[in-house]
Amino acid sequence: MSDVPSPPSHGDKENNIEKSNVVKIDDAIQAVGMGKFQRRVLFAAGLCFTADATEVMLLSFLSLTLQGEWGLTANQTATMTSCVFAGSLVGTLALGYFGDHYGRRPAFLIASGIISVFGVLTAFATGYASLLAVRFMVGFGVGGVTVPFDIYAEFLPPSHRGTHLLVIEYFWTAGSIMAPLIAYLTLNTSWRLFVVLSAVPCIISGLLGAYLVPESPRWLISVGRDKEAMEVVRFAITTNGQDPDQVL
C-alpha cells in the first residue's frame, strides 16, 4: 500500500510562496533586459563608489597638510583617520538596517546626502574637534555605500548580474585616481577647496539618484507592495525601449 503524501505545513506554504515570488521577480527583471535604465542606475550608484574612494583617499593628503597648518601630531592625524572608519562601521549597521526595513532608495539618498553635506562641511571646520565630528559623519555616510550596490544588483537581469557587478567597481578605481589629481591641483591653493571638490561626485550621485533611480522592485515585493513593484518593472522596460505589454 503506497504512502499518502501528508498535506503541506504552514511553514511549507510560506516557503513555496516566497520561492514563487523570487522566481516571478527574477523573470520580470530578466524581461527588463539591459539598456538605458541600467546605465542610469549604474552611473548614479557608481558615483557613490567614486565618492567612497575620494573620501578615504583624501585622508592621506589632508593629514599631511593639517600637520603643517594646524600643528597636529601623528596621533591626532591617526585619530582623524580612525574616526572615518569608526563612522563607516556604525553607518554600515544603521543604513543597512534602514535599507532593509524602509527601502533601498531612501537609504541610498540618505547615504549620499550625508557624505555630500558633511564632506562640504569639512571645509568649514575651525578646529580639531569639529574636524573629527564632520569626518565621523562622512564615514557614517560611506558605510551606507553598500546600499547603492544592492539597488544596482537588484535591477540587473540574472543572466547579466555577475559581469555587470564588476563594472561598478571601476567607479571606485576612478575615485582613487581622482583624489590625488584633485590634491595636486588644489592643495597648494587651499585644503578647504580640496575637500569640497572631493564631495562633488557624491553630490552628483545624490541628485541623479533622486531623479533617475526608483525603488527596488525586489524590495517592494518583499514588503508586499507588488503593484508598485510591477509599475517600476514596466517603467524600466519602457526606458529600455520596449513595450511592457508585449514583454511581460
Side-chain angles (χ1 to χ4, degrees):
M1 184 175 180
S2 60
D3 293 334
V4 178
S6 60
S9 67
H10 178 67
D12 291 335
K13 290 180 180 178
E14 286 186 343
N15 288 336
N16 288 337
I17 291 172
E18 183 179 352
K19 288 177 182 178
S20 176
N21 283 339
V22 170
V23 170
K24 287 178 181 177
I25 190 60
D26 278 345
D27 288 344
I29 296 298
Q30 185 66 43
V32 171
M34 288 297 297
K36 183 178 179 181
F37 178 80
Q38 281 84 3
R39 288 194 295 272
R40 288 178 174 181
V41 178
L42 170 63
F43 196 61
L47 283 175
C48 251
F49 272 62
T50 300
D52 178 8
T54 56
E55 293 296 341
V56 171
M57 294 287 292
L58 73 79
L59 296 170
S60 301
F61 304 100
L62 189 60
S63 297
L64 293 174
T65 301
L66 293 182
Q67 276 183 334
E69 187 167 326
W70 285 3
L72 300 182
T73 65
N75 285 339
Q76 286 176 314
T77 55
T79 301
M80 181 179 69
T81 301
S82 299
C83 248
V84 175
F85 290 104
S88 181
L89 174 63
V90 177
T92 298
L93 297 173
L95 293 173
Y97 177 88
F98 187 92
D100 286 341
H101 290 79
Y102 300 101
R104 308 285 195 246
R105 185 174 185 271
F108 173 13
L109 298 180
I110 289 172
S112 59
I114 290 173
I115 298 171
S116 301
V117 170
F118 287 95
V120 172
L121 285 179
T122 302
F124 297 92
T126 55
Y128 181 64
S130 61
L131 183 66
L132 289 183
V134 293
R135 295 315 294 176
F136 177 87
M137 289 306 300
V138 168
F140 185 92
V142 166
V145 169
T146 54
V147 178
F149 181 87
D150 290 341
I151 200 169
Y152 179 59
E154 290 173 1
F155 276 121
L156 290 172
S159 60
H160 292 79
R161 196 168 292 151
T163 302
H164 285 83
L165 284 179
L166 292 175
V167 174
I168 198 171
E169 299 295 340
Y170 287 109
F171 283 84
W172 203 97
T173 303
S176 66
I177 296 171
M178 186 183 301
L181 179 61
I182 297 173
Y184 175 77
L185 295 173
T186 61
L187 275 182
N188 288 333
T189 304
S190 170
W191 67 265
R192 298 179 191 275
L193 176 61
F194 169 55
V195 296
V196 168
L197 291 179
S198 296
V200 168
C202 209
I203 295 172
I204 298 173
S205 174
L207 293 174
L208 291 177
Y211 287 102
L212 299 179
V213 181
E215 183 54 85
S216 163
R218 188 178 295 275
W219 182 83
L220 291 169
I221 289 286
S222 74
V223 294
R225 292 160 61 179
D226 297 12
K227 184 178 179 180
E228 292 175 62
M230 183 54 65
E231 289 174 356
V232 172
V233 169
R234 292 177 69 89
F235 171 74
I237 292 172
T238 302
T239 304
N240 281 347
Q242 302 181 76
D243 184 351
D245 292 327
Q246 293 182 356
V247 172
L248 293 174

